[in-house]
Amino acid sequence: MLTVRAPATSANLGSGFDVFGVALGTPADVIRVERAPETRITITGAGSQYIPEDPEQNTVGAVADALDAPAHIRIDKGVRPSSGLGSSAASAAGAAVALNALYDRGLAREELVPIAAEGEALVSGEAHADNVAPSLLGGFTIVTDDGVTQVDASIPVVVCLPETTVSTRDARGVVPETTSMADVVDTVGNAATLAVGMTRDDPDLVGRGMDDGVVTPERAALIDGYDDVYEAAIEAGATGVTVSGAGPSVIAVCRRRDRRRIAAAMVEAFDRAGVESRAYQTRVSDGARLYSK
Ligand code: HSE
């Protein structure tokens, strides 16, 4: 039996819509695999009641098919579905790492990215790699049509997850189809600033580069209490705040010493909007980790 811990991820980071992603220290899915004549999936943990165990309808079943690696796959969900924290991507990435090892397929982590992304396509309708790439490779990732660029990073973050859900379909529905040249110029500048900030582990640069006036305002409107949560996090010391993935999680970048204060301020702000939430005080971290037991 092999076990993999596959981390939650936060995609977009504001200015990097469908391009940027980071691996988070917590939460994570734990995936155990064992060879079997046919793929069977068992799911426990956060939100497991909403995830189909039928391999035909589960990201992980698609990954097992793609690797020709039938197995009994047990998934213990730490990452709740529809959270904006790459829930299905964590399972897909974890299964890809586990099954690649179980069947000695010998594929590199980079080669597993498109395989795990295909699994993602099964649930979201589109093959986004901006969550599977950081869950597989760790750190900060930049996904384009030409491939994935990865850098190690360890910026402290707080991720606040409200007890509400936003469907990726709804969140994609509000993305504007066109934008102005002025917005393009702003976005390029911010995205470049953020990327440099990641290479330097500099929370000021990363926070500044998270600003986005194109997609984030539309999506923020789908999250009850967002504006107050944003302000509260900034007042408590966050250097940048934005919607995590398609939402409803909100991610704040900061210095380590400010994490606890920011976490409390974000939870209180959601509370004022009548929404319960929990905050993860974590950092940008490593990708999926394989254990042999
Ligand atoms: N980049 C995607 C989005 C990630 O924001 O829609 C969602 O899984």
Side-chain angles (χ1 to χ4, degrees):
M1 188 180 304
L2 291 176
T3 302
V4 170
R5 180 186 185 278
T9 50
S10 182
N12 303 329
L13 300 172
S15 58
F17 177 64
D18 276 357
V19 174
F20 289 166
V22 283
L24 302 172
T26 52
D29 282 2
V30 175
I31 291 111
R32 291 190 177 80
V33 295
E34 214 174 349
R35 285 192 189 224
E38 277 182 10
T39 293
R40 186 153 62 91
I41 300 172
T42 315
I43 309 173
T44 53
S48 52
Q49 67 273 31
Y50 303 112
I51 309 169
E53 290 187 331
D54 176 358
E56 299 288 319
Q57 293 175 49
N58 188 297
T59 47
V60 161
V63 171
D65 267 1
L67 288 169
D68 192 17
H72 183 193
I73 305 169
R74 295 180 180 84
I75 306 172
D76 189 14
K77 296 293 299 173
V79 191
R80 192 203 82 188
S82 298
S83 57
L85 297 175
S87 174
S88 58
S91 296
V97 170
L99 296 171
N100 183 47
L102 188 70
Y103 278 87
D104 291 319
R105 293 288 180 251
L107 297 176
R109 290 282 173 112
E110 288 77 8
E111 294 174 294
L112 295 176
V113 171
I115 290 170
E118 275 311 313
E120 274 277 89
L122 188 77
V123 285
S124 73
E126 281 174 88
H128 291 296
D130 54 351
N131 286 111
V132 292
S135 193
L136 282 164
L137 304 174
F140 168 62
T141 56
I142 303 172
V143 175
T144 69
D145 288 347
D146 296 325
V148 183
T149 305
Q150 186 272 357
V151 291
D152 291 334
S154 58
I155 291 269
V157 298
V158 176
V159 180
C160 195
L161 171 61
E163 291 213 323
T164 50
T165 55
V166 170
S167 88
T168 302
R169 196 177 296 263
D170 289 348
R172 292 198 80 81
V174 300
V175 175
E177 284 184 11
T178 59
T179 191
S180 67
M181 182 51 79
D183 281 337
V184 172
V185 171
D186 279 350
T187 305
V188 169
N190 288 338
T193 303
L194 189 153
V196 171
M198 285 291 182
T199 66
R200 295 184 189 165
D201 266 335
D202 179 335
D204 286 322
L205 279 186
V206 171
R208 200 194 320 155
M210 277 162 71
D211 256 1
D212 160 54
V214 181
V215 179
T216 309
E218 305 298 329
R219 287 191 161 177
L222 302 177
I223 303 170
D224 286 339
Y226 179 86
D227 290 345
D228 196 15
V229 172
Y230 179 99
E231 290 301 334
I234 295 284
E235 263 175 40
T239 56
V241 181
T242 194
V243 176
S244 177
S249 293
V250 181
I251 182 168
V253 171
C254 57
R255 288 188 181 70
R256 192 166 185 274
R257 61 166 188 263
D258 295 325
R259 269 193 313 208
R260 185 186 296 244
R261 209 146 53 96
I262 293 167
M266 293 172 87
V267 168
E268 272 169 35
F270 267 125
D271 201 44
R272 283 194 291 277
V275 179
E276 270 189 48
S277 66
R278 64 169 297 183
Y280 298 94
Q281 298 175 48
T282 185
R283 58 170 57 247
V284 177
S285 296
D286 296 338
R289 199 170 302 160
L290 177 69
Y291 304 90
S292 59
K293 232 335 182 172

